Amino acid sequence: MSSFCELCGRKVIDEKKTVLIDGIALNVCRGCSKRGKPYTPPMSISKTKPTASSNPAARATATRSTSTTRKIEMMDNTILNPEFSKLIREARMKKGLTHEQLGAQMNEKANLLKKFETGALKPDELFAKKLQRFLGIHLYVGVLED
Ligand SMILES: [Zn+2]
């Protein structure tokens, strides 16, 4: 099997080398192999994949598109009721549930529920809707923009 150096075009008599030159793998003669980096087949490269550089851009466009479609279910001019902590606590008590029991039902952390009830934390839209469903309460109130 005779082959030619892909860099200088000379016939490779002795061992042919595969090197990386400008990111391209080339089969070259021994003399030219000094001009490139030793090439390792893609299978053995695990940590140096050049995908990381292209990811942030893709993620940025993804978040931009979701923000435009954010108001699918949510009506305009609604905010989380400032009394949400009281509403959640009262509804839970009415059902005779502990934080742990309600958390287990909702498949959420009881700790989070406690924080919502003390007002230390605000439930996000998804969690608030879940609470509305499980407790049969309304956590969102309309706001007039006038
Ligand atoms: Zn060569």
Side-chain angles (χ1 to χ4, degrees), residues 5-10 28-33:
C5 171
E6 288 177 12
L7 208 63
C8 65
R10 262 191 296 223
V28 296
C29 65
R30 199 169 5 178
C32 289
S33 71

Side-chain angles (χ1 to χ4, degrees), residues 2-3 12 22 32 45 55 59 64-65 80 87 114 124 127-128 133 136 141 146:
S2 72
S3 52
V12 182
D22 289 332
C32 289
I45 303 174
N55 268 352
R59 216 175 289 145
R64 220 176 293 139
S65 60
L80 189 67
L87 289 169
K114 284 178 194 167
D124 60 15
F127 205 118
R133 206 165 62 235
V141 289
D146 294 338

Side-chain angles (χ1 to χ4, degrees), residues 7-131:
L7 208 63
C8 65
R10 262 191 296 223
K11 192 168 182 178
V12 182
I13 307 136
D14 50 6
E15 199 191 343
K16 196 169 70 174
K17 307 259 187 192
T18 306
V19 291
L20 272 179
I21 294 166
D22 289 332
I24 302 158
L26 297 171
N27 295 316
V28 296
C29 65
R30 199 169 5 178
C32 289
S33 71
K34 287 169 188 151
R35 293 165 61 179
K37 289 181 213 164
Y39 174 75
T40 38
M43 294 296 283
S44 62
I45 303 174
S46 54
K47 285 173 188 172
T48 51
K49 277 189 179 176
T51 46
S53 55
S54 60
N55 268 352
R59 216 175 289 145
T61 49
T63 43
R64 220 176 293 139
S65 60
T66 47
S67 66
T68 51
T69 52
R70 201 171 52 85
K71 295 180 212 157
I72 317 162
E73 287 178 71
M74 216 47 189
M75 290 216 303
D76 284 346
N77 309 329
T78 53
I79 58 154
L80 189 67
N81 192 325
E83 303 262 85
F84 71 90
S85 50
K86 210 174 96 187
L87 289 169
I88 296 169
R89 178 184 293 272
E90 281 175 359
R92 180 181 55 79
M93 304 263 255
K94 235 181 251 177
K95 287 184 174 281
L97 294 169
T98 64
H99 295 112
E100 283 74 18
Q101 286 168 333
L102 180 61
Q105 278 185 22
M106 292 179 68
N107 201 21
E108 298 285 355
K109 288 195 175 74
N111 228 3
L112 270 177
L113 293 167
K114 284 178 194 167
K115 279 182 178 157
F116 296 150
E117 288 186 14
T118 56
L121 213 68
K122 255 188 178 179
D124 60 15
E125 200 177 304
L126 218 67
F127 205 118
K129 281 184 178 172
K130 213 167 171 183
L131 282 165

